[in-house]
Amino acid sequence: MRLVVDVEAERVLIGSEELRNQWVDFYAILTLARTHEETSESFVGADTIFRTGPWRHKVPASVGKEVARHLSMLDEKSLGTLIASRGKTRSWRLTVPPRSIRFMPSREEVARWVESRSVRPRDENAWVVDLRRLVEATLFLYEGKAEQALSHLEQPVDASMDPAVEAWASLIRGRAAYRCGDEELLSSLHEVWLRRADGPGRTVSAKLRALVSARNRFEKPDAVLRTLSRLAAELELRGDTAALGSVVNVMGLLARRAGHPAAAMAHHLRAAVLLGITGDYPSLEGALMNLANCRREALQKANQPIDEAVFMLVELARLVCSRLGVGIDSAQTEVAAAQWALEAGDSVRARYYLREAESIVERAGDTFDNACFHFARARIEHASPDGSSDPIKDMRIARNLFEEAGDRKALAETNRLLKQYLEEKRK
């Protein structure tokens, strides 16, 4: 198959298929990359495409979507092998051999044509483009779109103007990787920033360390907690309040996981205050919910019933979420509140929170959230049946999802209740 890029006629020919308008720019960029020795096997990102020709007038996120639709069209016309991709909306490269590509009038003219139609900021202004990407990626995270945040920062930022640009980019990527469950990326970012000596670098290093520790909270929480305690002491001496809030919040998770809810509550209360001071509202929402969780467990440990303060903390967390648009990709708050309401004997409130959780779970598709939702629905239906679901079926789904998520403690409790429900059914 022969691929012709004709900038004089402003068209692309793929065999007998003719393309025009923005696709001339798209294929011109891809063919130039494919026919250059150093970039022949490289993928071209959406950031490069959206700076050229008609693509300039689109928002960056729409570029990937339009290319994905184009790839589907190629599939329908049996041309799907023409373009390889790293995620259909992220980056692309041609698979045809360079010798099968023809430029008209010449490769040099096509390169000049692309350059003349491209927005190329001068080196001294390149940071503006990167700053835009960083802000947009941050907003994606706030909106619960972690994969889009990662895609937005797939191409490296230029740290020549200020090294902190790279630090911010790595922190966003680390948070997005944590949300997506990409442990390999999160670990590699942590390794890269582990020994940074500059202020922003040390802050990012500590925050990434906290994320890695949160990922590992299911294994040896006491040991990880001791390590983070030393880090927190260092951050306190340095006056790094931003990183300290993140680390103390994870310390609370670890203390609760180790069976110390009162100590965990103290960590989360301090974390909430520090996160409020530094304006880290996504983490503040989590800290408030962690406080509610710890108060509930502390009350249980003291053989006292759940009180209204627990639900006040739940609603505070939900208020931050609704007003500031953070945490909208997770149903943990609603799922937990549903189970706590059940424990308090309030089935009406329990089903209210369950309905709120279901819409989030359907939209976000997170494995752990799904497991918790099915677990909660099974418990509520078993305790206060209305025929809307099957508790045994839900428990089996939860069991499989907890196993996939690697939460052995939740898996053990799920298996215990599933066995109980099955035995009751047989009687």
Side-chain angles (χ1 to χ4, degrees), residues 22 83 86 90 147 238 245 253 264 289 324 336 346 368 408 416:
Q22 64 191 23
I83 297 177
R86 283 181 176 166
R90 297 182 182 181
E147 289 187 358
R238 294 207 305 256
L253 292 177
M289 190 55 196
L324 299 177
D346 190 342
F368 188 71
R408 291 197 292 268
R416 184 187 71 79

Side-chain angles (χ1 to χ4, degrees), residues 295-296 298-300 302-308 310-311 343-344:
R295 180 170 179 82
R296 166 190 163 267
L299 288 169
Q300 282 185 327
N303 294 316
Q304 296 179 25
I306 296 175
D307 61 13
E308 197 58 29
V310 172
F311 293 103
E343 292 168 11

Side-chain angles (χ1 to χ4, degrees), residues 23-24 43 56 66 111 146 165 171 196 243 251 264 348 373 403:
W23 300 111
V24 182
F43 286 78
R56 301 187 304 231
E66 290 199 36
V165 170
L171 180 58
R196 293 297 178 105
M251 288 172 64
V348 174
F373 170 77
E403 188 171 10

Side-chain angles (χ1 to χ4, degrees), residues 232-279:
E234 294 174 11
L235 295 171
E236 187 87 55
L237 290 172
R238 294 207 305 256
D240 191 343
T241 306
L244 183 60
S246 298
V247 169
V248 172
N249 200 29
V250 173
M251 288 172 64
L253 292 177
L254 294 166
R256 184 169 70 85
R257 194 73 186 181
H260 312 301
M265 193 157 56
H267 287 310
H268 288 309
L269 177 57
R270 185 155 190 253
V273 173
L274 295 173
L275 295 166
I277 290 171
T278 58

Side-chain angles (χ1 to χ4, degrees), residues 318-386:
R318 297 185 74 219
L319 182 64
V320 172
C321 178
S322 63
R323 291 287 185 87
L324 299 177
V326 300
I328 58 177
D329 60 329
S330 174
Q332 284 297 302
T333 296
E334 289 74 14
V335 168
Q339 296 194 81
W340 301 343
L342 177 67
E343 292 168 11
D346 190 342
S347 61
V348 174
R349 182 183 254 175
R351 288 196 178 277
Y352 162 73
Y353 281 125
L354 194 65
R355 288 192 300 272
E356 295 288 301
E358 187 169 15
S359 62
I360 300 171
V361 167
E362 288 176 350
R363 181 179 69 245
D366 179 79
T367 299
F368 188 71
D369 271 14
N370 262 297
C372 294
F373 170 77
H374 285 286
F375 180 86
R377 188 165 70 177
R379 287 190 65 207
I380 292 168
E381 180 63 21
H382 177 264
S384 180
D386 68 358

